[in-house]
Amino acid sequence: MKKLIKEDCGALAVEATIVFPVCLLIIILLLYLGNVYYQKARVEACVTEAVLDGAAYSVDPLLEFIEAGKIEQTALGAVDYKPYRYIGGMFGGMKDIEERVRSVILGRVGNLDTGLFSNMKPGRFKLTVSYNGGFLASSVSADLEYRIELPIRLLGEKERVSMKFQTHTEVPVSDSPEFVRNVNLVEDLLEVTGVKAKITEKVKELKGFFDKLFHK
């Protein structure tokens, strides 16, 4: 009986020697991965907030002055109201919005700390911000690629293990009054160039054709 107990104790010691380090490594790895995805959520929050702000500034150019408490400076002539800015945005006229969103994202993400563990700060950023202008619909989008390093090195490797992530955020820009102004602008241009009269004439001819076709 004593011999069997001694053999069991020896087996338990061997098993513990193997299992405990493996379990400890798995727990540490899970903690590292949890911190990685915590950092990932923080980065995505920074990107989303910046793109939302960019869409808001696209809708209302006066928002910056209102937020800064400079309402008295919003009189006519004191501020650029950017009339028909969405049409200009179709031809690259919203570079200031793109640069604003870009600088905000890089600033906020660059100021993030390492999270729960040291040396796990997001880095190696590759950022693309664009104002997707369209006559009927517009949006502000941001694509950010980045890496988060783990404080782990594989055997024989000089660089630490890192995980690559990519986040895409797109927010629609909706401004009904500006859309109405754009429509009026196009209508005025068509009227001045004489295209509107030709279109109206063709529509009347087409309507007359269908009237004859269905009322014979």
Side-chain angles (χ1 to χ4, degrees), residues 181-205:
R181 285 193 290 270
N182 291 344
V183 173
N184 290 338
L185 174 64
V186 173
E187 186 178 357
D188 293 341
L189 289 174
L190 293 177
E191 187 173 357
V192 170
T193 56
V195 176
K196 181 179 179 181
K198 294 179 181 179
I199 293 177
T200 303
E201 183 179 351
K202 293 297 183 181
V203 170
K204 288 181 179 179
E205 292 178 1

Side-chain angles (χ1 to χ4, degrees), residues 10-21:
L12 290 174
V14 173
E15 291 176 358
T17 304
I18 297 173
V19 172
F20 283 175

Side-chain angles (χ1 to χ4, degrees), residues 26-208:
I26 292 175
I27 292 172
I28 293 174
L29 182 59
L30 289 176
L31 291 174
Y32 283 153
L33 291 177
N35 192 53
V36 166
Y37 282 95
Y38 169 66
Q39 294 289 75
K40 178 177 181 290
R42 297 173 74 190
V43 170
E44 291 181 349
C46 292
V47 174
T48 302
E49 290 174 2
V51 175
L52 284 170
D53 289 343
Y57 285 121
S58 299
V59 173
D60 188 0
L62 304 181
L63 186 58
E64 180 181 4
F65 291 85
I66 296 173
E67 289 180 344
K70 302 178 181 178
I71 302 177
E72 67 279 0
Q73 298 183 19
T74 59
L76 289 175
V79 176
D80 183 7
Y81 287 82
K82 299 181 180 180
Y84 308 113
R85 56 190 174 278
Y86 294 153
I87 291 181
M90 296 170 62
F91 305 98
M94 299 293 257
K95 295 297 183 182
D96 58 333
I97 297 295
E98 295 175 355
E99 187 58 34
R100 178 193 294 270
V101 174
R102 177 181 177 82
S103 62
V104 169
I105 290 175
L106 293 178
R108 292 179 179 176
V109 175
N111 289 329
L112 291 177
D113 55 25
T114 60
L116 302 177
F117 299 96
S118 61
N119 299 322
M120 293 187 67
K121 186 173 182 178
R124 303 184 191 180
F125 302 115
K126 183 179 179 182
L127 176 62
T128 302
V129 178
S130 59
Y131 179 89
N132 311 303
F135 187 75
L136 295 178
S138 301
S139 64
V140 178
S141 63
D143 293 275
L144 177 65
E145 294 182 4
Y146 59 98
R147 289 182 177 272
I148 300 177
E149 294 184 345
L150 282 75
I152 299 173
R153 285 188 177 90
L154 298 178
L155 294 176
E157 295 291 334
K158 294 183 179 180
E159 294 186 357
R160 293 183 300 167
V161 176
S162 63
M163 299 179 67
K164 182 179 180 181
F165 295 97
Q166 181 176 4
T167 178
H168 170 79
T169 303
E170 186 167 2
V171 176
V173 176
S174 176
D175 188 358
S176 301
E178 183 65 22
F179 176 75
V180 172
R181 285 193 290 270
N182 291 344
V183 173
N184 290 338
L185 174 64
V186 173
E187 186 178 357
D188 293 341
L189 289 174
L190 293 177
E191 187 173 357
V192 170
T193 56
V195 176
K196 181 179 179 181
K198 294 179 181 179
I199 293 177
T200 303
E201 183 179 351
K202 293 297 183 181
V203 170
K204 288 181 179 179
E205 292 178 1
L206 187 63
K207 185 175 181 300

